[in-house]
Amino acid sequence: QVQLVQSGSEFKKPGASVKVSCKASGYTFTHYAVNWVRQAPGQGLEWMGWINTDTGNPTYAQGFTGRFVFSLDTSVSTAFLQISSLEAGDTAVFFCAREGGQKEIDYWGQGTLVTVSS
Amino acid sequence: DIQMTQSPSTLSASVGDRVNFTCRASQSVGSWLAWFQQKPGKAPKLLIYKASTLKSGVPSRFSGSGSGTEFTLTISSLQPDDFATYYCQQCYSYSRSFGQGTRVEIK
């Protein structure tokens, strides 16, 4: 069965970097794009962008350029989200999610809580 | 970017009620619209895609309709498991976007 398993919670100080992983199983990783979604505490879902797992080409939503980087290691069917120069406002749950054949997000990771605090 | 607006923000309803939520797009998204359900502390779950296609395994009390700029999610008979937050997302543009969500609470 399709599964996306994300790395565990992170606690970081402002200015640090974090790298969240998303390991896929149960399907051919390079056939489906991976989306990233942010959810700040008590807030709604915010689409961050996606990465083409065949070409490695990322697309970033407005507001997620510069400090946010999507990457892949296709040898282990894993997508990564790296955030640099962390700020308190980056505190959120980050989800990875597979994009299906009809552009729908059909499977989600369990989410990774990143807490930024001094 | 395409803006998605959901209404109402909160909906109070009882078990057995028929409920409708609306999602409006700032420009046409054709039928490229998906609906998700999210419960506290959990990842969202896909309910409907292409505006009206029910994901396999999703109860038939959920249905979606609409095209262009206005879409509706209907729950024909609200069940206890349905109290959650519902989000729409447009999948039309290269840059996807979510609505702000509709929270369904017990009346």
Side-chain angles (χ1 to χ4, degrees):
Chain A
Q1 71 283 19
V2 173
Q3 277 195 302
L4 298 171
V5 178
Q6 298 183 224
S7 49
S9 297
E10 301 267 10
F11 190 98
K12 296 289 184 181
K13 292 190 181 301
S17 296
V18 68
K19 193 169 186 178
V20 176
S21 66
C22 170
K23 183 170 175 61
S25 61
Y27 70 99
T28 302
F29 181 67
T30 53
H31 288 185
Y32 298 86
V34 170
N35 286 240
W36 288 94
V37 176
R38 181 172 78 176
Q39 188 167 39
Q43 303 301 307
L45 303 173
E46 196 173 10
W47 186 78
M48 300 174 65
W50 62 284
I51 185 165
N52 183 317
T53 53
D54 184 36
T55 66
N57 185 48
T59 297
Y60 300 98
Q62 279 188 4
F64 294 100
T65 56
R67 296 190 300 116
F68 300 83
V69 176
F70 307 148
S71 62
L72 303 170
D73 184 344
T74 56
S75 69
V76 289
S77 301
T78 300
F80 299 95
L81 164 65
Q82 184 160 0
I83 311 171
S84 59
S85 302
L86 284 163
E87 307 163 353
D90 291 323
T91 295
V93 175
F94 294 87
F95 294 99
C96 65
R98 190 185 86 159
E99 183 164 309
Q102 299 291 323
K103 304 187 188 181
E104 79 284 13
I105 293 179
D106 55 1
Y107 290 94
W108 294 71
Q110 81 275 21
T112 296
L113 173 63
V114 175
T115 304
V116 184
S117 175
S118 55
Chain B
D1 283 3
I2 299 175
Q3 308 301 318
M4 307 301 293
T5 303
Q6 292 185 241
S7 60
S9 297
T10 305
L11 187 155
S12 297
S14 302
V15 172
D17 284 354
R18 180 183 180 90
V19 297
N20 298 294
F21 326 129
T22 298
C23 176
R24 290 188 173 87
S26 59
Q27 64 187 75
S28 177
V29 298
S31 294
W32 296 104
L33 192 286
W35 290 97
F36 299 90
Q37 177 194 68
Q38 188 183 31
K39 295 183 179 179
K42 301 292 188 182
K45 290 183 179 178
L46 176 66
L47 299 175
I48 287 169
Y49 61 97
K50 288 293 296 292
S52 60
T53 303
L54 199 66
K55 184 184 176 184
S56 176
V58 173
S60 59
R61 63 180 179 273
F62 292 92
S63 63
S65 63
S67 66
T69 61
E70 187 153 337
F71 300 86
T72 301
L73 174 67
T74 299
I75 308 175
S76 60
S77 177
L78 199 64
Q79 298 302 301
D81 192 49
D82 301 338
F83 292 95
T85 301
Y86 294 83
Y87 295 93
C88 62
Q89 186 203 23
Q90 62 84 12
C91 316
Y92 173 78
S93 75
Y94 207 58
S95 181
R96 318 282 200 248
S97 45
F98 288 96
Q100 82 280 14
T102 292
R103 179 169 163 257
V104 178
E105 61 179 27
I106 300 172
K107 192 171 183 179

